[in-house]
């Protein structure tokens, strides 16, 4: 008997939404770096759009868990003996889900920082440099978000998704 993952519509929407958000962020940063004032509106709109599809997708995944409160177990762990110690960060390098949870979380925070820098750079010119630095720092994270969806699909048991010919 073969084991197959049965992912429903919420997961499919999350995979699409994560790519839309990461793509919007990358477009915003590239427009900001290459276009200057000419593409300022495109950059600002891309920055405003970027975190929301990712947040919506993550919310769908949390709802799809069946027990939404378990989402926090991907980020934080309480002490093994159930004591009163403070929870510690949970990061498992061998788990695609753990890595993806952290990548999505960091992406949302960087996206919001980029939006804030965009807004503050209009009245305060020096913030423009910080905006560009945050954008450059966020590019690899946005790329990781787009790669994560492919890694998640290839880590599944479906032979079609883990085929090297699929991107072609």
């Amino acid at each position: 008997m073969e084991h197959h993952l049965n992912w429903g519509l919420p997961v499919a929407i999350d995979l699409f939404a994560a790519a839309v958000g990461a793509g919007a962020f990358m477009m915003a940063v590239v427009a900001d770096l290459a276009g200057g004032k000419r593409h300022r509106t495109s950059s600002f709109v891309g920055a405003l759009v970027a975190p929301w599809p990712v947040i919506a997708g993550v919310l769908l995944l949390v709802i799809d868990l069946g027990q939404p409160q378990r989402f926090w177990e991907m980020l934080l762990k309480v002490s093994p003996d159930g004591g009163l110690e403070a929870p510690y960060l949970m990061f498992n390098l061998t788990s695609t889900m753990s890595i993806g949870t952290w990548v999505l979380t960091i992406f949302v925070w960087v996206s919001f920082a980029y939006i804030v820098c965009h807004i503050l750079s209009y009245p305060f010119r020096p913030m423009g440099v910080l905006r560009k630095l945050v954008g450059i720092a966020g590019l690899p994270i946005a790329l990781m978000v787009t790669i994560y969806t492919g890694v998640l699909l290839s880590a599944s048991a479906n032979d079609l998704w883990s085929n090297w010919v699929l991107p072609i």
Side-chain angles (χ1 to χ4, degrees), residues 1 29 37 43 45 77 87 99 105 115-116 118-119 129-130 132 138 140 145 147 159 162 164-165 168:
M1 183 170 158
V29 174
K37 291 182 179 182
S43 177
V45 169
K77 287 288 183 194
I99 294 168
T105 302
I115 291 171
V116 168
H118 241 295
I119 292 169
V129 174
L130 182 60
K132 290 180 181 188
V145 170
I147 291 171
D159 293 334
S162 56
W164 68 273
V165 182
I168 298 171

Side-chain angles (χ1 to χ4, degrees), residues 111-124:
S111 294
F112 281 128
Y114 190 64
I115 291 171
V116 168
C117 289
H118 241 295
I119 292 169
L120 293 178
S121 67
Y122 295 119
F124 306 109

Side-chain angles (χ1 to χ4, degrees), residues 85-156:
E85 294 89 18
Y88 56 92
L89 296 178
M90 200 302 242
F91 188 77
N92 183 356
L93 283 174
T94 62
S95 168
T96 305
M97 297 281 206
S98 176
I99 294 168
T101 301
W102 280 105
V103 166
L104 292 171
T105 302
I106 293 167
F107 174 78
V108 169
W109 283 106
V110 169
S111 294
F112 281 128
Y114 190 64
I115 291 171
V116 168
C117 289
H118 241 295
I119 292 169
L120 293 178
S121 67
Y122 295 119
F124 306 109
R125 288 278 182 218
M127 288 297 288
V129 174
L130 182 60
R131 179 189 74 227
K132 290 180 181 188
L133 290 174
V134 170
I136 291 169
L139 279 175
I141 298 165
L143 186 61
M144 283 190 266
V145 170
T146 60
I147 291 171
Y148 166 66
T149 59
V151 170
L152 190 61
L153 291 175
S154 70
S156 71

Side-chain angles (χ1 to χ4, degrees), residues 56-100:
V58 168
L59 288 175
L60 283 172
L61 289 180
V62 169
I63 292 167
D64 190 52
L65 280 175
Q67 295 177 330
Q69 68 276 11
R70 294 198 58 204
F71 164 74
W72 294 110
E73 291 179 12
M74 294 297 288
L75 297 172
L76 302 171
K77 287 288 183 194
V78 294
S79 65
D81 62 356
L84 297 175
E85 294 89 18
Y88 56 92
L89 296 178
M90 200 302 242
F91 188 77
N92 183 356
L93 283 174
T94 62
S95 168
T96 305
M97 297 281 206
S98 176
I99 294 168

